[in-house]
Amino acid sequence: MIKYIIIIVIATGIVLSLIFGIEYSCQGKEVFPTYFGSPFIFKKTSLGSSMEFFYSVSGLIVNIIIWSILITWINRLALRLIQKSRLKFIFYSIYKTVVVLLLLFSILNIIIDSSLMGNGFQKGLNYWYIDLDKEAEDWEMNCDGKWILLKVNKLPA
């Protein structure tokens, strides 16, 4: 049971960190937030503050499920390879070290993102689902997504 909780925490950290993902930038007459997906859209920037983000609950859950499945598969593959190796103790020690580092990385990302979270579930706002296509159409914006690797949020000058 604890193994699955660790996998979910690591998956959450990977999703929130935007190590791998898609960044959607929109062009048009209006200023529009930037959207992020990993692979599904789950996060958008605030137009009021460069340090605040709004999250889609369903997008976050779906992304965590996808990453949990992928991490579970990678975990099983790694453990099989370790069992077949002659240097089981060394590789298992490296495996445990990597898991602990990923867990610490994930916990740090969860803490940081929770401090940057927007004002929760306010009246009239839908945080269950972000429909980028509908919002772009309503505001006559053209949105393009690009794959990102190791997205680093820059602090304002």
Side-chain angles (χ1 to χ4, degrees):
M1 181 67 178
I2 193 84
K3 175 175 81 171
Y4 296 111
I5 293 171
I6 290 171
I7 288 173
I8 291 170
V9 170
I10 291 173
T12 304
I14 289 173
V15 169
L16 293 176
S17 70
L18 289 171
I19 290 176
F20 312 103
I22 304 170
E23 179 178 12
Y24 295 91
S25 299
C26 301
Q27 305 297 323
K29 298 175 186 174
E30 303 290 331
V31 176
F32 213 63
T34 303
Y35 292 81
F36 300 97
S38 181
F40 297 102
I41 295 175
F42 72 96
K43 178 178 179 177
K44 72 178 180 177
T45 58
S46 168
L47 294 177
S49 169
S50 64
M51 296 297 291
E52 185 176 47
F53 296 96
F54 297 105
Y55 295 86
S56 159
V57 175
S58 61
L60 191 59
I61 290 171
V62 170
N63 286 320
I64 290 170
I65 290 170
I66 289 170
W67 278 101
S68 294
I69 292 168
L70 184 63
I71 291 169
T72 301
W73 181 77
I74 292 170
N75 182 51
R76 288 183 180 168
L77 180 64
L79 290 174
R80 282 187 194 151
L81 291 174
I82 289 170
Q83 289 300 319
K84 291 181 181 181
S85 172
R86 286 189 250 168
L87 303 171
K88 291 179 189 175
F89 179 74
I90 293 171
F91 287 131
Y92 193 71
S93 297
I94 292 170
Y95 165 81
K96 286 291 190 184
T97 303
V98 169
V99 169
V100 168
L101 290 174
L102 284 172
L103 193 57
L104 293 173
F105 167 80
S106 297
I107 291 169
L108 181 64
N109 273 301
I110 292 168
I111 291 169
I112 289 171
D113 269 36
S114 65
S115 68
L116 298 175
M117 191 179 311
N119 294 326
F121 297 92
Q122 294 179 344
K123 186 176 180 179
L125 297 177
N126 179 6
Y127 285 96
W128 287 102
Y129 179 70
I130 295 175
D131 190 351
L132 176 60
D133 293 332
K134 183 181 179 319
E135 289 184 38
E137 183 181 317
D138 289 348
W139 291 93
E140 298 177 358
M141 304 295 278
N142 182 23
C143 300
D144 293 318
K146 66 177 179 176
W147 285 96
I148 54 174
L149 178 65
L150 298 173
K151 171 72 175 170
V152 178
N153 290 327
K154 297 178 182 176
L155 296 176

